[in-house]
Amino acid sequence: MKQISIVGIDLAKHVFQLHAADARGHNVFNKQVKRDQLRLTLAQLPPCRIAMEACGSAHYWAREIRALGHEAELLPPQAVKPFVLGHKNDARDAAAIAEAAARPATPRVTIKTEAQQSLQAVHRVRSRLVRERTAIGNELRGLLGEFGLIVSQGHAVIRQGVIRERLDEQRARLGEELYTLLNDLLDQWLENDARIARYDKRLQRQAKASADMQRLMSLPGIGPINATLLFSHLGDPARFPNGRQFSASLGLVPRQHSSGGRHQLMGITKRGNGEVRRQLVHGARAALRQFQRQEQPDRLSRWACSLAARLGQRKAIVALANKMARICWSLLAHERRYQPQEAA
């Protein structure tokens, strides 16, 4: 047991596979452990590095392992896959995790705190409700259109009761069966809309209570939704050497296809957290509209407006989202608010 240097764990719901290796990479043991025995088994090991793939429940187990006095590491699954030898099974997966963890070049995933995961859970539930609200609204408008009832797009039409009035007016023509169905769809939409509003208020309260989130919201295009989402995803800004690396982790940088000294840049990579990237793009779209209405533009707004005039709105929005991600990293890393710079 004293020779153990790295332990790779293939996480599961009930039965975990452990692979222990010494400093030279030789196998010390490879065994299965049940869930209720995992904590006891790890507590009996000497202090060592314990590596896992960043998957479901990985952050929880990483915090538990740290509490036992070990060094916990989370590895991206795509970085572990090349080390799987032969056919896939739990034992080979655990061995691949230990082998990948022994390589210094293998990237690591930062372990999230309980507060970060809790905030992320709120965003996950809110995103699902937004998707459901959109789907219900589209279904409702489609069914109304099949019976000759055309209503304007937008949430305000439903919130103001326009569709409810149209349904009441056409109740006799639609029939009781269809009238009840459409009313039920309308109630579902309004219920989801009310739930989303409650989650928005909760995120606003959390954003107001945090100094870091207040710094993020000083940047145009960053509101409570983006601030809480960025904070829950970024956590400690020291894990990125600069803002460029942070924006690259979100997939907001061009994809390369270069060879033989010929450099070719393509569209953005779209790697990393898709929800953070999507919300940043939405924030950049709102910020660009704000910049285009400014009477006295600063350096950032002048750059964004000139880029939109040369390359078009969509490319300018993605470029602005990339720059916003870098600025957000700088605000958190240096603990300061955004200060607009006057254009030269």
Side-chain angles (χ1 to χ4, degrees):
M1 288 296 184
K2 294 181 180 180
Q3 299 175 349
I4 294 177
S5 175
I6 298 176
V7 178
I9 303 180
D10 184 40
L11 297 177
K13 292 182 179 178
H14 304 293
V15 180
F16 299 79
Q17 185 74 34
L18 274 64
H19 179 94
D22 59 14
R24 294 186 176 183
H26 297 156
N27 182 21
V28 178
F29 67 79
N30 197 331
K31 62 181 180 180
Q32 289 184 345
V33 177
K34 292 185 178 181
R35 184 182 185 87
D36 56 352
Q37 295 295 320
L38 179 62
R39 191 177 287 102
L40 178 61
T41 301
L42 297 179
Q44 295 173 350
L45 297 178
C48 58
R49 278 195 295 158
I50 299 180
M52 300 163 285
E53 284 185 328
C55 57
S57 74
H59 293 276
Y60 162 77
W61 282 113
R63 293 192 296 266
E64 293 292 320
I65 289 169
R66 280 182 172 179
L68 294 174
H70 299 294
E71 181 183 352
E73 292 183 352
L74 298 183
L75 310 179
Q78 62 268 25
V80 176
K81 182 65 175 177
F83 295 96
V84 178
L85 301 178
H87 297 286
K88 178 183 177 349
N89 56 44
D90 292 346
R92 286 172 178 168
D93 285 346
I97 293 170
E99 182 68 25
R103 307 295 180 96
T106 303
R108 266 63 174 176
V109 176
T110 303
I111 300 171
K112 294 186 182 297
T113 63
E114 290 185 359
Q116 284 180 272
Q117 283 194 288
S118 176
L119 196 55
Q120 219 171 29
V122 175
H123 278 282
R124 293 286 177 88
V125 175
R126 181 186 177 276
S127 297
R128 176 182 59 80
L129 290 174
V130 170
R131 291 194 301 268
E132 289 180 359
R133 182 180 64 180
T134 303
I136 294 172
N138 292 338
E139 186 177 21
L140 181 60
R141 286 189 175 88
L143 290 175
L144 288 171
E146 290 294 328
F147 291 89
L149 299 177
I150 306 300
V151 294
S152 302
Q153 292 186 354
H155 296 162
V157 176
I158 305 179
R159 293 193 185 110
Q160 294 171 1
V162 175
I163 294 182
R164 185 85 71 183
E165 294 176 1
R166 297 287 299 275
L167 286 177
D168 292 339
E169 292 173 357
Q170 302 292 329
R171 181 171 185 172
R173 184 173 69 85
L174 294 174
E176 200 63 30
E177 189 86 16
L178 182 61
Y179 173 81
T180 304
L181 173 65
L182 295 176
N183 262 296
D184 184 55
L185 278 177
L186 185 57
D187 291 337
Q188 291 180 35
W189 191 97
L190 293 172
E191 182 181 354
N192 276 16
D193 190 55
R195 287 183 177 179
I196 293 170
R198 289 197 293 269
Y199 282 117
D200 288 345
K201 291 181 179 178
R202 180 184 301 181
L203 294 174
Q204 288 173 4
R205 289 195 300 268
Q206 294 185 4
K208 289 180 180 179
S210 171
D212 287 331
M213 297 182 197
Q214 290 292 322
R215 295 188 185 99
L216 291 175
M217 288 193 292
S218 64
L219 177 64
I222 302 296
I225 303 297
N226 259 329
T228 52
L229 186 59
L230 282 166
F231 184 78
S232 65
H233 176 72
L234 178 57
D236 183 12
R239 67 190 183 99
F240 293 101
N242 50 48
R244 182 179 298 174
Q245 296 296 325
F246 175 57
S247 65
S249 71
L250 298 177
L252 287 169
V253 298
R255 182 164 53 93
Q256 287 196 41
H257 190 74
S258 305
S259 178
R262 180 174 175 269
H263 300 284
Q264 182 179 2
L265 298 181
M266 309 174 74
I268 60 174
T269 62
K270 295 185 179 180
R271 293 184 176 181
N273 193 306
E275 179 67 16
V276 179
R277 183 176 60 254
R278 181 166 49 252
Q279 291 294 343
L280 264 178
V281 170
H282 289 331
R285 184 179 292 108
L288 182 60
R289 287 197 299 264
Q290 178 183 344
F291 292 158
Q292 291 171 339
R293 294 193 298 263
Q294 283 182 355
E295 297 180 358
Q296 296 180 348
D298 58 6
R299 184 177 178 181
L300 178 62
S301 59
R302 181 166 295 185
W303 170 83
C305 293
S306 64
L307 195 65
R310 287 187 291 110
L311 301 179
Q313 294 274 350
R314 294 185 178 181
K315 290 184 179 179
I317 288 171
V318 176
L320 181 57
N322 184 2
K323 189 172 286 291
M324 287 170 57
R326 299 185 186 192
I327 295 175
C328 287
W329 177 89
S330 178
L331 297 180
L332 292 181
H334 301 290
E335 297 183 353
R336 60 188 178 189
R337 297 176 64 87
Y338 174 72
Q339 298 293 334
Q341 296 181 1
E342 294 298 331

